[in-house]
Structures are given as C-alpha cells and as structure tokens.
Amino acid sequence: MKIKAIPTVIALLLAAILSFLFYLLSNAEAEMLKALALSTFVTVGISLVCGIGVAFKDSQHSVSATAISMLFVIIFIAEHCCFSIWGTSRAWLAVTSGALLAVYLLIYYGISKAKM
C-alpha cells in the first residue's frame, strides 16, 4: 500500500470545499454549523483519501477499495445534505457519521487484508 501525495492533497481540498458548502447551505445555529462542517471534512476526507490517495500493489485491491470508497463518499454526502437541509442535533450527527465511518473503515480494512 502506497500513499500518493498529489491525489491525497486534491482529495483533502475537495473535502474542504464540500465542508464549506454544507456550512453555507445549512441554516442551523453556529455550533451545529461547526459540527456539520467538521463531520463533513472528516468523513468525506477519509473516504476520498482512501479512495484516490492510496494505491495497492494488486489492481483488484485498488479497484475494490476505490469502488467502496466512492460509494461511501456518496453516502456521506447524502447524509450531510439531509442534515444540512432538515437539521438535526449534534448527537445524531456524531452517532450516524461515526457509525457509517466505522462500517466504512471495517470494510476497507477487510479489502486491504484480503488475499485475492
């Protein structure tokens, strides 16, 4: 497994832009805006970095990891869209984002350790 520098930086910049977008779109109070932006940056950033910023020696691992990462990027964006439009509490945001991130990391770890 090798971390690619330029795609990693691009992934983090994209996560920061999406984070700022959800910060602007939401009409929640200030504390919730900060939590939403931070949650977006962490979840989308981790999944984008793992999806496009990491390369495996085997192409099957790379394709599987990229596919599952992009699927979870879409899930995280949809989750944060719902939270920014309809609003929620910080507790629900932390629980749902944390649970989805844990499931994603578990699947990603399983892909990275699989013998293909």
Side-chain angles (χ1 to χ4, degrees), residues 1-2 55-59 61-62:
M1 184 165 51
K2 179 183 174 188
F56 292 95
K57 292 178 185 175
D58 185 14
S59 64
H61 284 90
S62 293

Side-chain angles (χ1 to χ4, degrees), residues 79-94:
E79 172 203 11
H80 286 91
C81 278
C82 292
F83 284 155
S84 67
I85 292 170
W86 293 306
T88 186
S89 66
R90 288 185 297 178
W92 277 109
L93 177 67

Side-chain angles (χ1 to χ4, degrees), residues 16-95:
I17 290 168
L18 284 172
S19 169
F20 185 66
L21 176 69
F22 288 125
Y23 181 83
L24 291 177
L25 289 179
S26 182
N27 56 0
E29 68 271 0
E31 290 298 316
M32 185 58 196
L33 285 175
K34 292 175 189 175
L36 186 66
L38 181 64
S39 174
T40 303
F41 181 73
V42 169
T43 56
V44 173
I46 288 174
S47 56
L48 278 176
V49 166
C50 290
I52 64 174
V54 175
F56 292 95
K57 292 178 185 175
D58 185 14
S59 64
Q60 289 178 335
H61 284 90
S62 293
V63 169
S64 297
T66 302
I68 200 69
S69 295
M70 293 305 120
L71 174 68
F72 270 89
V73 165
I74 293 168
I75 290 170
F76 286 133
I77 290 173
E79 172 203 11
H80 286 91
C81 278
C82 292
F83 284 155
S84 67
I85 292 170
W86 293 306
T88 186
S89 66
R90 288 185 297 178
W92 277 109
L93 177 67
V95 167

